[in-house]
Each structure stands twice: as structure tokens, then as C-alpha cells.
Amino acid sequence: MFGPPGSGKGTQSVTLAEKYNCLHLSTGDMLRAELAAGTELGKRMEKIMAAGELVPDDVVIAMIANKIDSTRGKAGFIFDGFPRTVEQAVALQNMLKERNMKIDQMLVLEVSDVELTDRMKKRALISGRADDADPAVINNRIEVYRSKTAPVIEFGRKEGVHHNINGMGTVEEIFRRLCDQIDRII
Ligand code: AP5
């Protein structure tokens, strides 16, 4: 699941993982769990995340590598917020290849900047997320997405797995669009 901050990756991944019996792996959730638990790693990443910057590739790649062998009883994975750089995409592809797996689809949620900002501002009222609280950080996250993460779309195009999904509308409407695309290959 791919898309800018606030595009609905987390919201949609949870229900898709249930419907398709997949393991939902969100690097953002994993990092926030480290923060909440006050681990050494969490403390090191706190400032980076609060500023809306990306944490180092090796940190998230190691997190995913630790989880990737825990699919027992599951049909596959839904990666949410990962990969976020071309380096992460290549690392993911290699990790999957070594296990005779592959990236089946890269679903890119397309949402206008105005809607993204609006969703994150609304969430700031309840989420307690430092990166939602400051409009300047929200803008920086969108900018970081454009400069560092959007190039991964080209990687997906080259691999023939990339699909744009209209991410505007109700959660249910977007869920149906995603399911329509997923159902084409299963
Ligand atoms: P991460 O947790 O991945 O945050 P993000 O990409 O900024 O995404 P969000 O969680 O803000 O949005 P989302 O697309 O999941 O949308 P959601 O469903 O929540 O990453 C946080 C930070 O961790 C990064 O900035 C970075 O520092 C670090 N990090 C994480 N992964 C990394 C990686 N791989 N490499 C390096 N650093 C990494 O929806 C947003 C809101 O909108 C919610 O309130 C939701 O209820 C609402 N909403 C959803 N859909 C709709 C709809 N259709 N209509 C109205 N509201 C909606």
C-alpha cells in the first residue's frame, strides 16, 4: 500500500489484511511502538519522526526483515509505509526473492494535497502524533514524500506492479476500488 502521508494507507490496510488473510506490516506503527515503549531505538528515532523526515533505511529494513518470516497461516503481506525509498524497495524485493515470494501489486492511493492536510489536521485532534500537530511538519512530510518516496513509483512501473487508485471519497468507496484491483490477480 503506497501513497502520501494521510492518504489512507493504514485505514485501508487493516481491513484489506482481514479480508485477504494477510499480515499487515506498517513501519510507522512499528516505530511508534518503539517510541511508546521508550526503547533505545525509539529514542533515537523520535526527533526524526517528529520533524516528518525519514528514519535511516537500515533501521526499517531490519524491522521488516525481522517480521518477514512470520507469515505462518497467512496468505501474504500488506506492506504499509514501506518501501519509502528506492533502496528500501530493492531490499524488499531481494528479501522476498530469497523466500520465493514477490511483490504482486503496488497500490498507489492518489489524494489531493488539500485533502491530505485536512485529514491529518483532523487526526491531530485525537491521535497525539507529534507529526500531525504542526502544519509545517505536515507540509514537510508531503514534501519528503515527493522528493524521496515518489521515485519508488517508477520502480513499481518498471516491475509492472504499479496501479493508481483514486484515494478520494469515502473509506468504503476506496476499499471497493482496492478490492477490485486486488481481485484481478487472485
Ligand atoms: P507512517 O506512520 O507511515 O505515516 P505516514 O506515511 O505519514 O502516513 P499516515 O499514517 O499519516 O497516513 P496513512 O496514509 O496511513 O493514512 P491513514 O489511514 O492513517 O510514518 C510515520 C513516520 O515514521 C514517517 O514520517 C517516518 O519518519 C517514519 N517512517 C515510517 N516508515 C518509514 C520507512 N519505511 N522509511 C523511513 N521512515 C519511515 O489516514 C489518515 C487520516 O485520514 C486518519 O485520521 C483516517 O481516519 C482519515 N481517513 C482515511 N481515509 C479517509 C477517507 N477516505 N476520508 C476521510 N478521512 C479518511
Side-chain angles (χ1 to χ4, degrees):
M1 187 66 59
F2 199 86
S7 58
K9 301 183 294 294
T11 304
Q12 298 294 343
S13 293
V14 170
T15 33
L16 287 172
E18 265 174 40
K19 177 173 162 116
Y20 293 100
N21 185 32
C22 286
L23 188 67
H24 171 209
L25 292 181
S26 157
T27 41
D29 287 350
M30 289 179 212
L31 287 162
R32 278 186 291 277
E34 297 281 341
L35 242 61
T39 64
E40 235 359 90
L41 178 70
K43 282 180 197 150
R44 276 195 286 129
M45 298 308 132
E46 191 167 12
K47 269 197 187 145
I48 302 176
M49 292 173 71
E53 294 293 329
L54 296 183
V55 310
D57 286 336
D58 57 344
V59 170
V60 281
I61 290 168
M63 282 180 155
I64 292 289
N66 280 337
K67 296 272 181 188
I68 211 160
D69 288 320
S70 46
T71 42
R72 211 176 310 154
K74 297 284 180 187
F77 302 97
I78 297 182
F79 297 101
D80 158 11
F82 180 90
R84 240 174 165 101
T85 61
V86 174
E87 287 75 9
Q88 292 179 22
V90 171
L92 175 64
Q93 196 176 41
N94 290 338
M95 276 188 251
L96 293 175
K97 228 180 240 170
E98 283 164 14
R99 291 161 177 81
N100 287 322
M101 295 188 272
K102 63 179 171 55
I103 301 167
D104 291 312
Q105 296 197 348
M106 173 183 182
L107 303 169
V108 184
L109 290 170
E110 294 189 308
V111 177
S112 72
D113 286 1
V114 172
E115 173 74 10
L116 295 175
T117 308
D118 191 47
R119 288 184 192 176
M120 285 187 275
K121 278 188 184 157
K122 278 191 190 140
R123 186 175 55 186
L125 303 173
I126 49 162
S127 72
R129 274 177 60 166
D131 58 349
D132 282 344
D134 180 349
V137 173
I138 291 180
N139 288 341
N140 188 45
R141 286 160 66 197
I142 296 174
E143 188 44 46
V144 167
Y145 173 80
R146 284 213 190 93
S147 59
K148 297 189 177 151
T149 303
V152 181
I153 295 175
E154 194 47 39
F155 172 90
R157 271 206 192 98
K158 279 192 194 138
E159 295 297 319
V161 292
H162 154 274
H163 300 281
N164 285 335
I165 304 289
N166 177 0
M168 304 282 283
T170 67
V171 170
E172 295 73 25
E173 282 165 347
I174 300 159
F175 183 69
R176 275 196 296 277
R177 287 175 204 143
L178 289 162
C179 292
D180 284 348
Q181 179 54 45
I182 293 170
D183 290 343
R184 282 186 194 152
I185 61 146
I186 60 171

